Amino acid sequence: MTTLADPVPGGRPGDVERATALSGELAGRGVHGVVLAYVDTAGIARIKTVPTARLPAAAAWGVGMSPVFDTFLAHDTIVSTDVLGSPDGDLRLYPDLDQLVVLSAQPGWAWAPVDRITQEGERHPACGRTLLRRIVADAAERHGLSFRAAVEIEWAIGRDTPDGAFVPATTGPAYGATRQVDLSDYTADLLAACAAQGVDVDQLHPEYAAGQFELSVGALDPVAAADRSVLVRQTIRAVALRHGLRVSFAPAVLAQGVGNGGHLHLSAWRDGVNLHAGGAGRYGMTAEAESFTAGVLAHLPALTAVTAPSPASYLRLKPSRWAGVFTAWGRETREAALRVVTGTAGVRDQAANLEIKPVDLAANPYLALACLIDAGLDGLESAAALPGEITGDPARLAPAEAAARGVHRLPTSLEQAVAAFREDTRLRDALGPVLADAVIAVRRGESEAVAGLDDEQVAAAYRWTY
Ligand code: GLU
Ligand code: MG
């Protein structure tokens, strides 16, 4: 479980003692430095590092970093809002010692996610991780709810090329055995690294697109799940590098065809009971789980500004590619934006969950989970009615029937997504004005950065960024 307490100057009770013991232990294991990681508004993982001996000082007082990164674009241009984007100010990055791991594929290094706190010891209003922690804590307090979440990771594995073109490191059929054979050493090393880091991998398999693989992990509390998705991507990249391979988590490695998703699995629980199973609603959902699902469904157009934040996201979000681009839900329906996963008879009380598909790995996972949980809570609090399910591909529905069923296409561009986000006061309030403005400014900046580029150029621009 992630601790629900914010860091404080001087360290949370026990943290400094723990960091002192840890730094000795890490040094004994040959760890020279600790990577302190967070994700910015644009979805880029950014870091500072400290020598292992400085870990106690970092636990006590944090490590300095400018808040300017909250308005960085994916390619490091800086935009600004009323509050953010200036060269002034400093934040303290506090490592979460509960989540510290020794990086198996980067000998000499450990890794920890951070919360970003002001020099005054207050929450930084643009810190996605503290925001998610607060939303989870509020849901526990107000509704007695907790959540479990997992991020699926899809990526393309390429050869290093001088011009940045994508040359898949393996060919062969989707889900094909040949791909597993071709990349046998790489994937075995990846599984070993995950195991050594305490990451419980559910599955690893070749996916549909050229050179594409997918790795799924077990569910955790939302903050830990977001941390894990950052850690797993760092690991996938580090292992690939040791094999002379290059990886891309970009939503669209190529302009055409199937992209890389970052589907999110989410379930709400009360007193250890999964609300998505054993209920009197459809497919075992409780009334609260149905309303939670309805809440997510209703906010999906605005959510895409957070879950699909890159111009390249909209190259992926196309019908009939399992990316879930219609406002609809269905049981195990891979073309609906929301897939109700019931799990197998016998384990449903543990396995049932809601899968949200229009999410990619350009998204900041902390912000995506914060917004999705808040959207679900909006439905739950208002006892929102879940409309009828769909089966099959909504792209095949006649326009009149789709409209009658409330099945609409999600935004087809980042500009459309931002327009929907601007209209969604609930989501903007969930993020708070500082972060909501940062999301709008960064997305606008990202759109402007690619103005005039064609699809191929957009794909190329972000191919190796995420
Ligand atoms: N690659 C698909 C996407 O972009 C998802 C495939 C799957 O369902 O695993 O979302
Ligand atoms: Mg997949």
Side-chain angles (χ1 to χ4, degrees):
M1 259 327 250
T2 309
T3 171
L4 295 181
D6 285 333
V8 288
R12 278 183 284 238
D15 267 6
V16 177
E17 295 75 6
R18 208 167 145 206
T20 305
L22 256 175
S23 75
E25 188 193 312
L26 293 173
R29 291 174 65 185
V31 173
H32 304 298
V34 183
V35 179
L36 307 178
Y38 69 95
V39 183
D40 73 11
T41 318
I44 302 297
R46 302 207 185 258
I47 60 117
K48 279 252 177 126
T49 76
V50 289
T52 304
R54 294 290 298 169
L55 188 62
W61 306 109
V63 170
M65 195 159 188
S66 165
V68 76
F69 298 98
D70 294 317
T71 50
F72 261 47
L73 304 184
H75 293 124
D76 301 340
T77 306
I78 307 168
V79 297
S80 60
T81 68
D82 293 347
V83 180
L84 295 168
S86 103
D88 304 338
D90 198 40
L91 294 170
R92 310 305 298 175
L93 311 183
Y94 280 82
D96 186 335
L97 301 176
D98 286 337
Q99 305 296 336
L100 185 143
V101 294
V102 175
L103 292 173
S104 172
Q106 291 180 255
W109 289 99
W111 177 96
V114 300
D115 291 304
R116 295 183 300 149
I117 299 293
T118 69
Q119 285 179 319
E120 271 45 67
E122 281 148 15
R123 283 178 184 146
H124 171 48
C127 176
R129 193 171 190 270
T130 47
L131 171 82
L132 176 58
R133 203 142 34 69
R134 180 174 56 69
I135 284 181
V136 169
D138 282 359
E141 199 176 308
R142 284 192 293 128
H143 300 291
L145 292 176
S146 61
F147 299 93
R148 291 175 67 71
V151 183
E152 287 180 13
I153 301 198
E154 294 186 333
W155 75 103
I157 309 169
R159 306 250 167 240
D160 214 355
T161 56
D163 61 352
F166 176 63
V167 177
T170 172
T171 52
Y175 289 77
T178 51
R179 290 198 200 177
Q180 194 273 330
V181 176
D182 283 351
L183 295 180
S184 185
D185 290 346
Y186 166 60
T187 47
D189 283 355
L190 177 56
L191 289 178
C194 287
Q197 293 174 183
V199 173
D200 60 327
V201 172
D202 270 355
Q203 287 182 37
L204 169 64
H205 65 266
E207 252 290 344
Y208 190 88
Q212 191 181 37
F213 273 70
E214 173 175 333
L215 185 146
S216 50
V217 294
L220 297 169
D221 75 80
V223 177
D227 292 340
R228 177 156 290 186
S229 101
V230 180
L231 170 66
V232 168
R233 278 178 271 167
Q234 171 121 359
T235 306
I236 288 171
R237 193 183 298 285
V239 177
L241 210 64
R242 296 173 82 79
H243 287 266
L245 301 169
R246 208 171 182 193
V247 301
S248 171
F249 301 100
V253 177
L254 301 170
Q256 305 298 326
V258 168
N260 288 324
H263 302 174
L264 270 167
H265 291 263
L266 187 59
S267 51
W269 298 62
R270 183 179 287 109
D271 301 327
V273 177
N274 183 353
L275 301 184
H276 299 259
R282 281 159 281 181
Y283 304 118
M285 284 186 275
T286 62
E288 283 183 310
E290 283 209 0
S291 292
F292 187 87
T293 304
V296 175
L297 189 59
H299 287 282
L300 274 177
L303 280 164
T304 52
V306 176
T307 62
S310 170
S313 300
Y314 298 84
L315 300 174
R316 165 184 172 252
L317 287 180
K318 300 276 174 64
S320 310
R321 292 184 192 171
W322 290 17
V325 300
F326 291 96
T327 56
W329 72 276
R331 182 191 182 189
E332 304 291 4
T333 299
R334 286 178 171 78
E335 287 296 349
L338 301 183
R339 170 183 169 206
V340 166
V341 179
T342 55
T344 313
V347 289
R348 292 202 166 128
D349 57 334
Q350 293 303 310
N353 70 82
L354 179 65
E355 181 183 44
I356 301 106
K357 287 183 168 286
V359 186
D360 61 49
L361 299 171
N364 175 319
Y366 303 96
L367 297 186
L369 277 163
C371 288
L372 283 165
I373 289 171
D374 192 69
L377 288 176
D378 187 26
L380 188 140
E381 285 158 7
S382 58
L386 183 64
E389 70 188 299
I390 60 132
T391 55
D393 188 348
R396 300 220 181 99
L397 288 176
E401 192 186 348
R405 294 212 210 169
V407 175
H408 302 291
R409 182 74 199 272
L410 285 171
T412 56
S413 67
L414 191 51
E415 292 84 348
Q416 282 183 17
V418 171
F421 178 80
R422 278 177 181 283
E423 297 296 308
D424 194 321
T425 46
R426 170 92 193 197
L427 278 195
R428 281 194 282 112
D429 288 350
L431 291 176
V434 172
L435 202 38
D437 283 356
V439 165
I440 292 168
V442 168
R443 304 294 177 265
R444 195 196 295 128
E446 218 69 72
S447 295
E448 285 169 8
V450 298
L453 300 190
D454 65 24
D455 288 357
E456 304 291 341
Q457 290 167 323
V458 170
Y462 293 95
R463 181 172 297 141
W464 304 112
T465 308
Y466 302 108

